[in-house]
Amino acid sequence: MLIDSFNRQVNYLRISVTERCNFRCQYCMPEKPFSWVPKEKILSFEALFSFVKVCIDEGINKVRITGGEPLLREDLHTFIAMICDYKSDIDLAMTTNGYLLEQHAQKLKDAGLQRINISIDTLQPEVARKITQKEVLKEVLLGVDAALQVGLKVKINMVPMKGLNEHEILDILEYCKARDMSVRFIEYMENVHAQVDISGMKSKELLAVIGSKYAFTDEGFDGHSPSHYYRLDDGYVFGIIEPYNDDFCVTCNRIRLTAEGLLIPCLYFDEAMSIKEAVGQGNIAEAARILKEVVRTKPEKNRWGDSEGEISKRAFYETGG
Ligand code: SAM
Ligand code: SF4
């Protein structure tokens, strides 16, 4: 079992399988040219899997595949199958922008994927173009339909931003309600890679919009999820992630692995250790040592809410969010 210095059990590994992306979301990686291809330093699926096995053997029982855009990694379903074959009861999920999902949904499901989070910030094509700097909405919505059709459990992530998609909170909520999908509104997290003029909506503002149409009750937190849950009178539950209020750090159970093999104890901070050499040499004992050391050094809290704190230098497209 992996226990950190604040007595939190770490059982959740998020793996960013690539930092490349086919979108250029304003809040994530607005500046990189579309032709940008990072040095091919990324770990092979075999190398990633050898580390995943170490993690599972040490007590990880929940894995999320993310990116960049994970579906840009060729044959991603084979990596998913490797993990599921090793531990059939693993809680395995993925986060994607949905653009390539229509063609991959069935393969992912057959490989063992159970749950998928799809990022949809808008239902209006021109707003989607503005946020992602590409014509994307039609494909993304087809991806959602395909995921539902093959039987994946779908959750939608939305980052509400002033002057961009703030008028679509209820539309997204209703789009999700109608399809029996849950939705999480994620407060924009400031970071040095994002467009400077973004102003995210805070949970109070979101709740005021939702409250203008629906009555709801506060359900609080549930287990290790960073989401604060609310229940509408008809039973539908939605979540809000409020990183500027670090209440959820006390139950944080996650660490993150980048495509280059950096193991990160907290989304906010720069600290990380590389497992690349250890897995490259097949040195499982060293990989396990690094895993335990990263868990040991996991900070107590993020600093998004700290007005004295610097803006985080962590790139969401490297860490997977
Ligand atoms: N490309 C995939 C996607 O967009 O779903 C997976 C990677 S993306 C980094 C994971 C999640 O992080 C997305 O839901 C995205 O909206 C969120 N995200 C990225 N930058 C963010 C920021 N600055 N603040 C809040 N959420 C952010
Ligand atoms: Fe790509 Fe996801 Fe970042 Fe948007 S949020 S640029 S889709 S990695």
Side-chain angles (χ1 to χ4, degrees):
M1 198 185 280
L2 297 162
I3 307 283
D4 77 1
S5 317
F6 302 94
N7 217 21
R8 296 172 296 195
Q9 185 186 347
V10 172
N11 65 348
Y12 181 14
L13 174 69
R14 296 174 65 101
I15 310 171
S16 170
V17 291
T18 177
E19 61 176 33
R20 289 194 298 138
C21 190
N22 43 1
F23 289 11
R24 288 295 176 270
C25 301
Q26 293 195 23
Y27 48 74
C28 182
M29 55 185 310
E31 302 283 329
K32 302 263 186 204
F34 269 104
S35 58
W36 168 73
V37 180
K39 278 194 214 147
E40 281 310 300
K41 291 187 287 189
I42 59 172
L43 297 188
S44 65
F45 285 148
E46 286 70 25
L48 286 172
F49 178 55
S50 68
F51 185 67
V52 171
K53 283 195 286 188
V54 172
C55 293
I56 290 175
D57 293 349
E58 293 292 342
I60 294 288
N61 55 22
K62 185 172 176 182
V63 172
R64 177 172 294 274
I65 312 290
T66 174
E69 175 44 41
L71 290 175
L72 288 181
R73 239 354 252 251
E74 208 175 324
D75 293 332
L76 183 68
H77 62 285
T78 58
F79 182 51
I80 285 169
M82 286 176 191
I83 299 172
C84 292
D85 288 349
Y86 190 69
K87 184 169 168 58
S88 59
D89 62 347
I90 191 107
D91 179 356
L92 184 64
M94 184 170 105
T95 305
T96 172
N97 63 31
Y99 188 81
L100 298 170
L101 193 53
E102 190 187 15
Q103 69 210 71
H104 291 291
Q106 188 67 59
K107 275 186 284 184
L108 295 168
K109 179 74 166 71
D110 293 346
L113 192 71
Q114 296 141 5
R115 300 186 291 112
I116 196 158
N117 286 32
I118 306 173
S119 303
I120 299 189
D121 296 320
T122 173
L123 295 169
Q124 298 181 6
E126 66 282 8
V127 179
R129 191 187 315 120
K130 204 166 173 192
I131 294 174
T132 66
Q133 308 189 64
K134 184 171 165 172
E135 204 67 55
V136 297
L137 190 63
K138 184 167 155 257
E139 285 78 4
V140 172
L141 297 182
L142 287 171
V144 173
D145 292 344
L148 289 171
Q149 203 164 4
V150 302
L152 287 166
K153 203 161 170 232
V154 182
K155 199 183 265 185
I156 300 298
N157 290 349
M158 174 190 192
V159 179
M161 293 163 282
K162 290 184 184 157
L164 278 169
N165 58 354
E166 63 183 312
H167 52 289
E168 291 189 73
I169 312 292
L170 290 171
D171 293 346
I172 297 269
L173 184 87
E174 282 156 11
Y175 169 79
C176 295
K177 242 159 86 65
R179 288 161 184 78
D180 203 17
M181 308 185 292
S182 44
V183 60
R184 293 189 321 172
F185 300 101
I186 307 176
E187 283 184 359
Y188 165 63
M189 293 174 236
E190 221 179 349
N191 66 92
V192 298
H193 307 274
Q195 200 99 328
V196 283
D197 55 355
I198 294 179
S199 171
M201 286 177 78
K202 296 287 178 224
S203 65
K204 251 191 184 169
E205 297 166 306
L206 290 164
L207 291 173
V209 174
I210 295 170
S212 69
K213 181 153 180 192
Y214 295 100
F216 59 82
T217 48
D218 185 338
E219 298 272 302
F221 291 90
D222 183 19
H224 298 282
S225 168
S227 292
H228 190 149
Y229 290 106
Y230 299 86
R231 184 181 296 274
L232 303 187
D233 276 1
D234 62 9
Y236 181 78
V237 174
F238 65 94
I240 301 183
I241 299 187
E242 307 156 278
Y244 289 85
N245 169 357
D246 52 29
D247 286 354
F248 58 83
C249 293
V250 73
T251 56
C252 183
N253 61 343
R254 57 194 67 191
I255 50 174
R256 294 171 165 83
L257 180 66
T258 72
E260 292 183 20
L262 282 181
L263 197 59
I264 300 171
C266 174
L267 180 61
Y268 182 93
F269 294 98
D270 286 347
E271 282 76 8
M273 286 178 80
S274 177
I275 53 102
K276 186 173 184 172
E277 204 177 309
V279 294
Q281 295 166 347
N283 190 342
I284 299 309
E286 177 60 5
R289 187 196 66 78
I290 295 170
L291 170 63
K292 287 175 193 158
E293 182 59 13
V294 166
V295 168
R296 194 188 64 75
T297 57
K298 194 168 158 55
E300 186 178 14
K301 289 177 173 195
N302 72 61
R303 286 179 68 191
W304 263 288
D306 181 352
S307 54
E308 306 274 302
E310 289 171 24
I311 298 179
S312 176
K313 295 190 194 66
R314 277 258 164 257
F316 279 72
Y317 56 86
E318 278 168 9
T319 60

